Amino acid sequence: MSAEVFRIEPPGSSTLMQARPSPPGTGDLSPIRKGPPMRLGIIGGGQLARMMVPPAHRLGIEVWTLEKTDDCPAKLVGAKQVVGDWSDPEVTLKFCKEVDVVTLDHEFTPLAVLERIGERLRPGYQTMLKIADKFEQKLHLQKAGLRVVESRAFQTEQELREIAEEFGRPLMVKARRGGYDGKGNLLLRDLDEMDAVFQELSGPLYAERYLPFEREVAVMVARGLDGRSLSYPVVDTVQENHICRCVRYPATLSRELEQRAREVGRACAEAVGVVGVLGVEMFVDKEGEIVVNELAPRPHNSGHYTLDASLTSQFENHVRAVCELPLGSVDSTVEQAVMVNLLGDGHGSGYPRGLSEVLKEPGAKMHLYGKASKPGRKLGHLTLVGSRAHDLETRALELAGKLTFKES
C-alpha cells in the first residue's frame, strides 16, 4: 500500500510542506472530535505505530505519523507520514494541529515538548511525567503502595560505591531515561567494573538492589478516558541480555498469583492515570510476591502475542482507548501461544531467508516490521498458537532458528 509523505521543517527553513493543503491554524489547538471519522497522530513511526495502523483503519480512523526519516515501518502499511523532528517543539506542534488525538510510539520525545500538546495527548503529560524517568516512576509507584525494587539515584562514582556497599553486589545500574532492548542497563558485579558504568551509560543514572526472582511476568492493561480498565492475561517473559527473547501465554502461575498480578497491573494504570495501553513488567520473587519492574505507556513487546491470540489485540485496544471508543474483549482465542522476537543476525534488507519453511508450520504467524537488518535489532516476531498438549516454546524457537536476516 502506498502512503503519502509530507515534510515539516523547523521555523526559518527554506522549505515547508504542510500536512494539509491549507496552512495550519494558529493559537490554541482545535477542539477534539469525538469518535470516527477521526485523525489519529502518532509521534514515532516504528513497529508499534505500524501495528496500530490496521486496527485504526478498520475503525475508520485515519493515521498520521511523525518521524525523522521517510522510511518508517508505519508508512509501509498505509499511515500518512510526516517527516519531521519530534524533539523540536515547533515541528511537533505543527503536526499536532493537523490531527485530533496524539499518541506515542516511544518515550523519547522531551517532556517539555509533550507538555505543550495539551489534552489531546494520550497518554497525557501528567502520565508521562510519572513514567518517563524510571527512577521517578519507581518512587511514584511506591507512594501508591505498590512494591518495587529498592533503588537509589547517583551522580558520581563515590555515590555509586556507597550504594554498592549498602545494596551489595551484583547491582543493576540503569539510565533513568531512554533505555530499551537492553540499552541503558548494566549489571555491576564488582567495584573494579565501575569505569564501565560511566563509559557505557549516559545521562542521569540510578542503581537497583539486585532482586533474586523465580520468574519474570508481564500484563498489559487497557484503560479508557473514563477510567475503566481491562487487563489481559498474565504472560511469562524470557529475557536474554536484557532483551525479551520470548513470551509464553498463559503464564505458569497459580490462579491466585495470576489474579494478584492482574490486580497490580490495574493498580499501576490507575496510579499513573494512563489512557491507552500500559505494559507492566513484573518479577515474582522467591517468596512468591509480585514486584513491579517497569512500566511502558504504550503497547509493549510482551503483548504482541495478542495479535494472534486475543479477541482484541493490545494495538486495537490502545487505538480504542485514546480515541474514546469502548474497549474490546481481552479474552483469548487459543489455549496456548508463544511469541519469539526475531533479532538481526547481521546486515541485510530485513527480509529473512527460510521464511517459506516457517510458513509451512500450522499455527505459525509471522510479523515482519519492514526494517533493515542490523545485529541485535528487532526485525519482527513469530507467534505460534496451538493447544496445551504441545510444547510450543521449543517448536517456536526451532522455527525462529531457521530464519536468517544477514546477507549471504
Side-chain angles (χ1 to χ4, degrees):
M1 180 183 293
S2 61
E4 297 177 73
V5 179
F6 306 98
R7 191 173 299 275
I8 298 180
E9 302 290 354
S13 299
S14 58
T15 303
L16 174 62
M17 183 177 290
Q18 303 294 354
R20 286 179 176 171
S22 58
T26 57
D28 293 337
L29 299 178
S30 56
I32 299 173
R33 289 182 286 167
K34 306 292 184 182
M38 179 179 280
R39 183 174 289 180
L40 172 63
I42 306 176
I43 297 177
Q47 64 257 29
L48 300 182
R50 176 190 175 102
M51 289 182 272
M52 292 182 211
V53 175
H57 283 176
R58 289 197 302 271
L59 295 170
I61 297 168
E62 192 176 278
V63 180
W64 290 57
T65 62
L66 177 64
E67 188 53 275
K68 295 180 179 180
T69 62
D70 64 0
D71 59 351
C72 71
K75 184 185 77 171
L76 301 178
V77 292
K80 290 181 170 63
Q81 186 183 355
V82 177
V83 179
D85 184 356
W86 35 255
S87 65
D88 185 305
E90 299 307 320
V91 168
T92 302
L93 286 177
K94 284 182 182 292
F95 172 77
C96 293
K97 288 177 180 178
E98 303 304 316
V99 299
D100 300 301
V101 174
V102 181
T103 194
L104 305 171
D105 171 79
H106 55 66
E107 297 95 77
F108 303 140
T109 304
L111 287 171
V113 177
L114 297 180
E115 183 178 19
R116 295 181 61 183
I117 297 173
E119 66 173 353
R120 72 183 58 206
L121 176 66
R122 299 170 183 173
Y125 170 71
Q126 290 299 322
T127 296
M128 297 306 298
L129 196 61
K130 297 168 184 173
I131 289 180
D133 183 315
K134 294 179 181 179
F135 178 66
E136 293 292 339
Q137 176 189 126
K138 291 184 184 299
L139 295 180
H140 185 80
L141 292 175
Q142 195 170 32
K143 290 177 182 176
L146 294 158
R147 190 176 174 197
V148 298
V149 181
E150 188 176 2
S151 305
R152 296 279 192 281
F154 67 91
Q155 294 181 325
T156 66
E157 181 177 322
Q158 180 57 37
E159 289 174 338
L160 180 57
R161 286 182 180 276
E162 292 171 1
I163 295 170
E165 290 300 324
E166 179 185 353
F167 285 179
R169 293 175 294 284
L171 188 69
M172 184 62 72
V173 183
K174 296 183 177 182
R176 292 173 61 162
R177 292 207 63 185
Y180 70 101
D181 289 350
K183 301 178 179 67
N185 295 341
L186 188 147
L187 185 64
L188 182 66
R189 299 182 183 277
D190 193 274
L191 292 180
D192 293 340
E193 303 169 356
M194 193 77 69
D195 289 346
V197 171
F198 296 95
Q199 291 171 0
E200 298 182 24
L201 303 180
S202 60
L205 305 175
Y206 74 102
E208 292 181 351
R209 184 188 293 274
Y210 186 77
L211 177 73
F213 57 86
E214 290 290 340
R215 59 174 17 94
E216 294 181 81
V217 299
V219 62
M220 310 305 300
V221 180
R223 184 174 183 271
L225 201 64
D226 59 0
R228 177 173 177 261
S229 65
L230 296 173
S231 64
Y232 284 85
V234 184
V235 294
D236 289 320
T237 65
V238 179
Q239 313 290 325
E240 292 181 5
N241 299 319
H242 308 294
I243 301 176
C244 181
R245 177 57 175 153
C246 73
V247 171
R248 298 187 297 254
Y249 160 77
T252 50
L253 300 176
S254 67
R255 181 175 298 179
E256 292 76 17
L257 196 53
E258 173 167 0
Q259 182 61 32
R260 173 60 182 154
R262 294 177 83 163
E263 290 172 356
V264 168
R266 288 193 294 270
C268 288
E270 187 70 25
V272 299
V274 74
V275 174
V277 162
L278 182 76
V280 185
E281 297 180 278
M282 311 175 194
F283 299 113
V284 179
D285 70 11
K286 297 291 186 179
E287 287 71 46
E289 296 294 326
I290 297 293
V291 181
V292 179
N293 180 17
E294 290 184 2
L295 308 181
R298 48 169 171 74
H300 187 262
N301 195 187
S302 57
H304 289 359
Y305 80 98
T306 64
L307 285 166
D308 303 299
S310 302
L311 283 172
T312 313
S313 76
Q314 63 165 343
F315 299 99
E316 179 170 339
N317 261 336
H318 185 77
V319 170
R320 288 185 181 213
V322 301
C323 294
E324 295 185 61
L325 297 172
L327 297 176
S329 170
V330 296
D331 289 347
S332 300
T333 58
V334 297
E335 290 185 5
Q336 185 183 185
V338 174
M339 187 281 299
V340 179
N341 278 318
L342 304 176
L343 306 180
D345 54 354
H347 294 276
S349 67
Y351 191 85
R353 286 178 285 125
L355 181 60
S356 295
E357 187 173 355
V358 171
L359 292 179
K360 294 176 184 177
E361 181 78 13
K365 310 291 184 180
M366 281 290 299
H367 299 266
L368 296 172
Y369 302 152
K371 297 158 63 174
S373 179
K374 299 177 184 177
R377 190 181 199 187
K378 284 182 182 174
L379 303 175
H381 68 269
L382 163 69
T383 302
L384 188 61
V385 300
S387 71
R388 297 194 185 188
H390 298 90
D391 182 2
L392 291 191
E393 182 178 356
T394 298
R395 184 56 179 157
L397 290 171
E398 288 175 353
L399 291 172
K402 296 177 183 292
L403 301 169
T404 180
F405 290 90
K406 63 183 177 182
E407 294 178 346
S408 57

